[in-house]
Amino acid sequence: MDGRSHSRYSTLIDEALLPLIPPGAPVAIFDFPNYANVGDSAIWLGLRSFLRHNGISRRVVFVADIGLTHAAGFPKLPEDCVILIQGGGNFGDLWPHHQRHREDIAARYPTNRIIQLPQSIHYQSNGGLQRTCDALQPHPDFHLLVRDIVSLEVARKIRPGSAHLCPDMALYLAEYPRPAAPQHAVVALLRTDHERKSDEGALSKDRDVRVEDWRTEPASLITTIDRTLATLHGRYPRKCPAFQPLHRPIFNRLATDRVRRGSRLLASGRVVITDRLHAHILCCLMGIPHVVLDNSYGKISNLRTTWNTGSHLCRNATDLSEAMYRARQLAGEEGHVTPSRPGVVEQ
């Protein structure tokens, strides 16, 4: 992704978000992604970059993850405070914990402006969609941002008149160099959760193919401090306001460490195969050739169709056999294996 591409995405994010945040208004941020999944931490760092670039960081008065909110309860916020809810791919009925949380925020703050940062939307049932409509439509000032045109169609049913298209917040990040030299011909970073579509059994078992996910992380001093704070919140909920100033630097450090871990994993391959959206985005930022498969409901293809991400670095594949074939092509190792997909047409 060249500098012009980053400038285009960041400008589009500014154009979508800045008109919704009144100058001088305090800001509260809910649903910090306090778990190992690297992609959501990349979104957080993109949001942090947006806030810093536009002089909003100093107006942030509250930051919390779901656990902290459950332990301490929802804080009292000024009526002019703008609430931001973390973006990602958990809007709908696949991840009910996050969906209930945003609906609770809307119910708890009926007079505050609430901005749901860019999400992908997916419902498995009409009943789930109707529940969301019932929960969010009564709010007079809820703005629903989505990161692809398919989600925009659904968003307009949920929030007629206040649904907006906006690039994923991770696209606000500047490009950066690869943090590690390649050690494998191919790294396959594949989902192991209920959004997975592909069976990794179809992958080559060669030693130069590394198969991973990024949903786990090693223990560290910062994760220990974070868990200790969470325990204190659970035991002494009335003391939570005193701990609030500690959370922002801890959250930022956790997100930075998680993205660094994920970036090193991706950079260990000359070519990456992935069905994770933010592995695609990070590969674009680092200039790593990669092949993408979709998750269970088309999250990556919907984003790429909308924003044309990775146009010169990325190839599409419909299954892992085709993905391996294309990855070998990109790695310059076509002769290493017999092509299993003769006649595959490049995108």
Side-chain angles (χ1 to χ4, degrees), residues 139-200:
H139 196 286
D141 203 3
F142 189 106
H143 297 265
L144 175 52
L145 274 61
V146 293
R147 60 192 183 186
D148 64 77
I149 54 177
V150 174
S151 296
L152 184 62
E153 295 179 8
V154 184
R156 285 172 171 162
K157 298 176 183 177
I158 298 169
R159 290 295 305 178
S162 58
H164 315 271
L165 190 64
C166 178
D168 185 272
M169 293 303 298
L171 290 168
Y172 212 94
L173 293 172
E175 61 185 82
Y176 49 92
R178 296 174 68 127
Q183 299 174 340
H184 309 275
V186 178
V187 165
L189 182 77
L190 300 173
R191 304 190 75 106
T192 54
D193 59 21
H194 56 274
E195 287 188 38
R196 73 180 296 175
K197 182 180 178 182
S198 303
D199 178 9
E200 69 181 48

Side-chain angles (χ1 to χ4, degrees), residues 249-317:
I250 290 173
F251 287 166
N252 288 337
R253 175 63 184 274
L254 286 168
T256 299
D257 288 353
R258 287 162 180 162
V259 172
R260 183 182 295 118
R261 170 173 57 85
S263 299
R264 292 185 66 86
L265 171 59
L266 295 171
S268 69
R270 266 185 282 166
V271 176
V272 170
I273 296 171
T274 191
D275 57 0
R276 283 198 173 275
L277 175 59
H278 288 90
H280 160 63
I281 289 177
L282 287 173
C283 281
C284 291
L285 294 171
M286 291 186 287
I288 299 175
H290 57 290
V291 182
V292 294
L293 300 136
D294 249 322
N295 75 324
S296 59
Y297 64 90
K299 183 187 294 185
I300 300 177
S301 60
N302 291 343
L303 180 113
R304 293 195 68 214
T305 297
T306 304
W307 306 110
N308 194 33
T309 53
S311 56
H312 301 298
L313 284 169
C314 184
R315 300 288 184 269
N316 290 332

